Amino acid sequence: MDQNAPILIFDSGVGGLTVYDALRKLLPDAPVIYAADLAGLPYGTKSEAEIAARVAGLLGRMSERYQPRLICIACNTASTIALAMVRETLEVPIVGTVPAIKPAAAMTKTGVIGLLGTAATVRQAYVDNLEAEFAADKRLLRYAASGLVGAAEAKLRGQPVDRAAIETAVSALRSMQGGEDIDTVVLACTHFPLLVDELAESFGPDVQFVDGANGIARRIVYLTQDQPFDRTLGARAVTTGDIEEFTLLAPTFATYGLERLDRF
Ligand code: DGL
């Protein structure tokens, strides 16, 4: 194992930073490349075929270029649609992001769970299967909150958060049958933990939030145990989009220890 081989963390935008943040606490010495497919953002409003083709194609090219030791698809939309396909085509270990329905089912006291994801995620059979397996005796209320993706992207660029998008998502869940009893909300999009303060304010103090970041980070630690790490080459972020626009995110990325920004 080349000790400089990076862990590649992939998302459509800044959402994967929530996973990277959990990972760097556990593996501070791991070399990392954070890849943001900003040219493809948002994924959540695209079709399954488009997302699968895009993610599989990009990850193939990225793995040739960067020779990662492991790829983390830090995006629920991409994972619920393309994980199996990417695993079939690439040799490198792939860790995906799964909506945290199992822990939410263990946490809820009222038995009513809200789930916020992108439109593409909430309609996946993958989510139906998780619900059937882990929350069959609960009520799971799903809402496609694609508007929150842009709100999170804006927040990390230092722009004001779109409060209307937050209110729309919260009142949509609350107004569903049983919605007033929601006590646990699954943040099934990696962008959404970036808005947890705003969501908490709007939902009120009796609602707890759960996402997959810590579980994913632990899985990566497990899969890379005993491997040597050398972070001399540093951690960096790459984008498929416009590099000038990407540099607007430089101060944010720097707070995550990602000092170098490049174009893929
Ligand atoms: N961060 C991605 C997710 O977890 C989706 C954002 C997008 O719509 O591109 O689903």
Side-chain angles (χ1 to χ4, degrees), residues 11-13 15-16 40-45 74-78 97 118 121 146 149 188-191:
D11 181 38
S12 54
L41 179 93
Y43 282 0
T45 49
C75 173
N76 288 265
T77 312
T97 313
T118 65
T121 296
S146 301
V149 174
C189 169
T190 53
H191 279 73

Side-chain angles (χ1 to χ4, degrees), residues 224-263:
T224 58
Q225 64 189 325
D226 305 326
Q227 291 183 6
F229 290 119
D230 183 347
R231 200 177 160 108
T232 322
L233 297 178
R236 64 184 172 126
V238 299
T239 183
T240 54
D242 180 61
I243 190 69
E244 309 254 299
E245 267 200 26
F246 198 43
T247 52
L248 296 177
L249 283 162
T252 296
F253 276 103
T255 65
Y256 287 84
L258 296 160
E259 303 283 352
R260 210 176 117 197
L261 305 189
D262 293 313
R263 183 147 208 298

